[in-house]
Amino acid sequence: DGTAEKGYGLISIGAKLAVAYDIPKEDTLWGVYFHWTQIESSKENELFSLYVWDNIDTSNNGSTPEYALFYKDFLSPTYIDSLNGWSYYALDTGVTIKDRIYIGWIQTTSEVLNVGFDANTNNSDKVYFSTNGYWHNTQFKGSLMIRPVVGDKQIFISTIKETFLEEPRLKVWPNPASNTLFVNNIYDISSANIYDKLGRKMFSVNLKKGINKLNIS
């Protein structure tokens, strides 16, 4: 019925979640809506990586290579102050999609992020998770409240409250980096933490306003 009776999440760092969507004809993906349901404490300070896959190996026999059409790191849940509100995550550019795609995330925290779970509409055959390198169908009957936005151009649905990610206050390059990292500190932030791909804190740095050159070797 399009409302969240429950919340659904993963609890291990590096775990993956994917929802299958069948695309009847070639189209363009511009963004993804998530309904985050706040259960217990807020998770707005936790991070995840948004992924759009062309393929995942649901057979787990190595016959299907896993291929990401798009991914974006260091995103966080955003709660909308309305019943069943939706947070919008815009892609950097339109992504051509066709046939079957998978949308979800890679977990960078052990906290359960709790995306909305519609228990009254069963699409469990399209919900997959991986915690050990192998993909499995969920055992829970329902639908995850994740909605892709497709069309000829970037569009927004006026009846749904939208939340847009702010322009980053730190510009960082190159990415990836192994020896030297440059940080353009636009708004005079005093310090920053550096994390690896799995969300583990590696070290902290003090920053000056303007361009900082960091030795990360």
Side-chain angles (χ1 to χ4, degrees):
D1 59 359
T3 60
E5 286 76 33
K6 301 177 181 180
Y8 185 102
L10 306 171
I11 59 173
S12 59
I13 295 175
K16 302 176 183 179
L17 172 72
V19 182
Y21 296 89
D22 293 314
I23 312 301
K25 63 178 183 178
E26 185 174 292
D27 214 326
T28 303
L29 177 71
W30 293 102
V32 182
Y33 278 110
F34 283 82
H35 169 67
W36 301 107
T37 179
Q38 186 166 331
I39 299 176
E40 299 176 344
S41 61
S42 170
K43 300 300 190 298
E44 288 186 313
N45 292 324
E46 303 297 336
L47 300 174
F48 70 94
S49 297
L50 172 64
Y51 267 76
V52 180
W53 290 280
D54 185 35
N55 285 306
I56 62 173
D57 189 9
T58 57
S59 64
N60 293 313
N61 60 14
S63 61
T64 305
E66 187 171 301
Y67 178 72
L69 294 170
F70 174 87
Y71 72 91
K72 193 168 189 176
D73 296 323
F74 306 119
L75 302 179
S76 58
T78 302
Y79 301 106
I80 304 301
D81 189 20
S82 63
L83 184 64
N84 293 303
W86 295 81
S87 298
Y88 185 62
Y89 297 84
L91 274 57
D92 298 328
T93 185
V95 174
T96 301
I97 55 175
K98 61 181 180 178
D99 301 327
R100 172 166 282 205
I101 63 167
Y102 301 82
I103 297 176
W105 71 70
I106 294 182
Q107 189 95 353
T108 57
T109 175
S110 58
E111 294 287 334
V112 178
L113 300 182
N114 286 316
V115 70
F117 192 73
D118 176 5
N120 292 321
T121 307
N122 185 24
N123 285 294
S124 59
D125 61 324
K126 294 182 173 64
V127 179
Y128 297 88
F129 70 96
S130 172
T131 57
N132 58 1
Y134 296 95
W135 289 96
H136 308 279
N137 262 131
T138 181
Q139 60 180 318
F140 302 108
K141 295 186 181 301
S143 301
L144 289 186
M145 295 177 66
I146 299 174
R147 294 180 177 174
V149 175
V150 301
D152 294 332
K153 58 184 179 180
Q154 185 69 277
I155 59 174
F156 307 103
I157 302 173
S158 60
T159 56
I160 298 178
K161 184 174 180 180
E162 298 144 354
T163 297
F164 298 93
L165 301 177
E166 295 180 353
E167 181 72 14
R169 293 181 291 170
L170 293 176
K171 293 188 179 296
V172 182
W173 73 93
N175 182 20
S178 57
N179 296 305
T180 302
L181 191 67
F182 292 93
V183 178
N184 189 358
N185 186 7
I186 301 172
Y187 295 119
D188 198 17
I189 296 172
S190 61
S191 63
N193 298 325
I194 295 181
Y195 298 83
D196 69 5
K197 182 73 172 180
L198 296 180
R200 296 174 297 196
K201 181 178 175 180
M202 305 304 292
F203 57 91
S204 299
V205 294
N206 294 321
L207 299 174
K208 64 181 181 180
K209 189 172 183 178
I211 295 179
N212 296 254
K213 181 180 179 180
L214 307 179
N215 181 1
I216 61 170
S217 58

